Amino acid sequence: MVLFFKLFSVLNVTVLALVLLHLSDNKILTSILLAAFLCVPATIVHLFGGLETFLFGSLLGLLFIALERNNAKISTILAVALILTRPEAWVLIALVPMYFLAIDLKLKPHFAQNRSYRVCAILVTAFALYVIFHWSYFGYIVPNTFYSKSGGSFDISKLLDFWVIYTLPLMVPLFTSSRKSALFCLSFLCPGRA
């Protein structure tokens, strides 16, 4: 079983590298950056130590790329994968549709709601199916590790704190034209942050 997860990790990094090379305009520079990224010990620790940690970080990076390219279909698929990967991605249920609503209001105000409503409906449906499955199969809404890491019980105040801490940094890029301040706010959400 351990071998399966190690092979899955290798497949994960291979797929990430291929996708980034496909999206890149400068394949040589991207290859060098990927090689440097893989030489960092923390990358290897997350890749082989925690199965979902590297996957979550990879998907989150690809989501930022898809959002920057204004690709609702790929962004929705990545957001669903992130929602199914870790509970902290549940904020994307609101944030991804809000992002497309903000973009569409600038570009085409008359049809702005259509795309954001579709994205929201897909994300809410995926989340509802996830919750129903977890509740019926495990007896809990969130994975068991959530309860053990949070002190053993579900506390609504901790959930609200979580939403505020992770939602506010994501709100700034929606309402600012400065790319530097947007990237600074998004850096607070990088995986591996203590």
Side-chain angles (χ1 to χ4, degrees), residues 7-86:
L7 291 175
F8 182 79
S9 295
V10 171
L11 177 67
N12 183 7
V13 75
T14 304
V15 169
L16 173 68
L18 291 174
V19 168
L20 289 175
L21 285 170
H22 175 73
L23 293 174
S24 174
D25 295 330
N26 188 341
K27 303 215 183 306
I28 294 172
L29 180 60
T30 303
S31 299
I32 292 169
L33 290 173
L34 281 169
F37 177 68
L38 290 173
C39 290
V40 175
T43 301
I44 301 304
V45 167
H46 284 297
L47 181 61
F48 292 110
L51 179 64
E52 89 286 350
T53 304
F54 189 83
L55 178 64
F56 184 78
S58 301
L59 292 173
L60 192 60
L62 292 173
L63 176 64
F64 288 155
I65 292 169
L67 288 171
E68 184 181 29
R69 294 180 178 207
N70 201 17
N71 189 329
K73 184 177 180 180
I74 299 298
S75 297
T76 304
I77 292 168
L78 290 168
V80 166
L82 283 160
I83 289 165
L84 298 177
T85 303
R86 287 172 74 160

Side-chain angles (χ1 to χ4, degrees), residues 22-191:
H22 175 73
L23 293 174
S24 174
D25 295 330
N26 188 341
K27 303 215 183 306
I28 294 172
L29 180 60
T30 303
S31 299
I32 292 169
L33 290 173
L34 281 169
F37 177 68
L38 290 173
C39 290
V40 175
T43 301
I44 301 304
V45 167
H46 284 297
L47 181 61
F48 292 110
L51 179 64
E52 89 286 350
T53 304
F54 189 83
L55 178 64
F56 184 78
S58 301
L59 292 173
L60 192 60
L62 292 173
L63 176 64
F64 288 155
I65 292 169
L67 288 171
E68 184 181 29
R69 294 180 178 207
N70 201 17
N71 189 329
K73 184 177 180 180
I74 299 298
S75 297
T76 304
I77 292 168
L78 290 168
V80 166
L82 283 160
I83 289 165
L84 298 177
T85 303
R86 287 172 74 160
E88 53 263 33
W90 293 353
V91 297
L92 297 174
I93 295 167
L95 295 177
V96 171
M98 286 171 43
Y99 175 85
F100 284 113
L101 182 63
I103 295 294
D104 289 348
L105 284 173
K106 287 182 182 177
L107 300 177
K108 46 187 176 184
H110 300 295
F111 302 103
Q113 295 85 6
N114 292 340
R115 182 165 70 162
S116 61
Y117 286 157
R118 281 193 308 267
V119 170
C120 187
I122 292 168
L123 295 179
V124 167
T125 302
F127 178 69
L129 291 173
Y130 173 86
V131 167
I132 291 167
F133 171 76
H134 259 266
W135 184 265
S136 65
Y137 191 78
F138 299 111
Y140 299 103
I141 293 176
V142 293
N144 192 25
T145 55
F146 176 83
Y147 297 106
S148 62
K149 289 178 181 177
S150 66
S153 64
F154 182 74
D155 183 4
I156 193 70
S157 66
K158 288 182 183 178
L159 181 64
L160 291 174
D161 288 344
F162 173 82
W163 275 79
V164 168
I165 289 169
Y166 284 97
T167 303
L168 290 179
L170 281 176
M171 297 300 286
V172 173
L174 292 175
F175 301 106
T176 183
S177 60
S178 169
R179 184 170 270 217
K180 286 182 182 179
S181 63
L183 290 174
F184 174 75
C185 290
L186 292 175
S187 71
F188 283 100
L189 302 176
C190 292

